[in-house]
Amino acid sequence: MLKHQRLFYSILCSLLFLLLSSNTAQAQVEPDTTERTKPVLPTGPPMPTERPRPTEEQQERKPTVQPRPTQQQQQAPLPFPGEQEPVVEQALRPIDRMYFGGSFGLQFGTYTNISLLPILGYRLTDKFSVGVGAVYHYSKFRGFSYSSYGGRAFTQLELFNIGDGAILGHAEVELLNTRYEDIYGGLSNDRANITLPLVGVGYRQRISDKASVDMLLLYNVNDNVIGNPYNNPVFRVGFNIPFTNR
């Protein structure tokens, strides 16, 4: 029995030795088929690069909302080629209709009178205006000299145009505080209030769109009142200056 086991082990060892010897010989006979090649650089056209994706802000960009045109802009007609765009007129403010100025009067002779009359006017329309003003008179009569002062209200209307000007209709009322003659024909030290309505016509010479020079020829309706500083007819030269250019 022991003899048979030894024989079995010897045969098994011989088979393993032969198997190992055959693998080693085959490894020595077969050549190494792997080749080391030099890397080749690309010579063709460049590969397209990946485009950057739009950001979220660009993807979510909302269209801008244009403001709606006003009614005046909708009604304004489009200009023809070569023509200027129509100008949209703006509504006038109260101060755009106001103007200031005044007039002065000179009268010499037996009765001397120098008048200063500043005004503040308002144009209700392009041709019709109203206003108020102050009045100051320096008078000299029969060797006596004195001052009169007060206020007035007036109205003017441009009747029709002549050249660069217009013919005016003018009316006003003055309330004047003045001295008057006593029963002996002298000048009293007391003062009294008198009312003087004046009406007449004039000529307005325009020096700009709104500024002008007025020349007035007036008649004093209450000419016989005591203390009247005017002798008919009354001649005045005045000017009007707007507060704004609109």
Side-chain angles (χ1 to χ4, degrees), residues 5 39 72 93 99 124 191-192 211 220:
Q5 290 182 350
Q72 293 181 349
R93 301 166 298 177
Y99 62 93
L124 297 175
R191 303 183 68 90
N220 180 14

Side-chain angles (χ1 to χ4, degrees), residues 5 8-9 17 19 26 33 40 44 54 57 61 76 84 117 143 149-150 165 179 190 194 196 206 218 229:
Q5 290 182 350
F8 176 76
Y9 287 133
F17 178 77
L19 180 62
Q26 186 178 1
T33 58
V40 179
E57 295 182 357
R61 182 179 297 174
Q84 295 181 353
L117 304 103
Y149 45 83
R179 296 172 68 179
D190 297 332
I194 59 176
L196 303 174
R206 299 186 181 94
L218 307 176

Side-chain angles (χ1 to χ4, degrees), residues 175-197:
L175 180 61
L176 201 62
N177 182 274
T178 184
R179 296 172 68 179
Y180 59 92
E181 295 181 5
D182 56 21
I183 57 176
Y184 303 105
L187 191 64
S188 174
N189 292 326
D190 297 332
R191 303 183 68 90
N193 295 324
I194 59 176
T195 302
L196 303 174

Side-chain angles (χ1 to χ4, degrees), residues 19-40:
L19 180 62
L20 293 174
S21 298
S22 63
N23 289 336
T24 304
Q26 186 178 1
Q28 292 178 355
V29 172
E30 293 181 359
D32 188 7
T33 58
T34 60
E35 295 181 0
R36 296 181 179 181
T37 59
K38 184 179 181 179
V40 179

